[in-house]
Amino acid sequence: MEVLRKISQWLNKFAFVFACILTGGMFGITVVNVFLRYFFSINILWAYDVLRVLFVGFVFLAASMVSYRREHARFVFFYDKLSKIGRYIVSVLENATTAVFFGAVVYFGVKLCISVSNQKLPASGISATLLYVLMILAMAIMCVHAIAHIAEDTVAIFGEKKELQGGAE
């Protein structure tokens, strides 16, 4: 359980650093492109494709960070009225469903990457696979987070170490 928690923490730190790098890249390319277009009437043709790849990667990595912190949207009206064991059951079912869903997205995402491996983005010529690789990476991270949440909740309910982390307090 401790190893899984540490892996989840490390993946969250990795996602944060990588998202910061992607944000810096988006900012830098946009500033340079605006500057060149405004002062010299020059447009960086590949900027649109690269910015799209960076933005997609940023969005999915940010979603993985939200998943790690359990700050994603959820319906808490009934959840808040449940007993501790009821919250545990709902939390485990939610995280198990999440892990299966993200696992399926990773599986089918890899198949999609293989099928589009010969396609190139039009303006830049970079592989269209890059769009999906960043999504798959983030989904795999979210899958690990969901499994770690199941382990944490199980320890919390059976080990009585702390309160469940899944609900709004």
Side-chain angles (χ1 to χ4, degrees):
M1 185 354 238
E2 189 65 27
V3 172
L4 190 56
R5 187 181 62 77
K6 287 193 184 284
I7 291 170
S8 183
Q9 284 177 339
W10 184 86
L11 287 172
N12 187 56
K13 288 177 185 174
F14 168 77
F16 177 77
V17 170
F18 198 33
C20 288
I21 292 168
L22 294 177
T23 303
M26 288 187 294
F27 178 77
I29 291 169
T30 302
V31 167
V32 168
N33 199 19
V34 168
F35 179 79
L36 289 175
R37 192 176 325 154
Y38 184 75
F39 290 108
F40 301 107
S41 298
I42 298 171
N43 188 25
I44 302 173
L45 295 176
W46 50 263
Y48 173 74
D49 286 344
V50 173
L51 287 172
R52 183 171 51 158
V53 169
L54 296 177
F55 183 71
V56 167
F58 170 79
V59 167
F60 282 106
L61 287 171
S64 75
M65 290 184 284
V66 168
S67 175
Y68 171 78
R69 295 182 185 136
R70 298 184 191 224
E71 293 176 353
H72 52 286
R74 66 185 304 171
F75 297 103
V76 295
F77 179 74
F78 294 111
Y79 184 85
D80 288 344
K81 297 181 184 333
L82 294 173
S83 66
K84 189 174 181 180
I85 194 72
R87 285 182 180 205
Y88 166 74
I89 291 168
V90 169
S91 184
V92 167
L93 288 174
E94 172 191 356
N95 286 309
T97 303
T98 301
V100 169
F101 173 75
F102 290 141
V105 170
V106 168
Y107 172 75
F108 289 110
V110 168
K111 289 179 77 169
L112 179 64
C113 282
I114 292 168
S115 70
V116 300
S117 62
N118 294 329
Q119 295 178 5
K120 305 283 183 202
L121 296 178
S124 64
I126 60 176
S127 176
T129 303
L130 192 55
L131 273 170
Y132 303 108
V133 166
L134 295 173
M135 179 195 68
I136 292 168
L137 173 68
M139 294 295 169
I141 291 171
M142 285 190 261
C143 189
V144 171
H145 291 331
I147 294 167
H149 292 326
I150 292 171
E152 288 172 11
D153 290 346
T154 302
V155 168
I157 196 70
F158 293 114
E160 299 293 329
K161 288 188 175 182
K162 60 181 178 178
E163 286 296 313
L164 290 175
Q165 299 293 317
E169 302 302 325

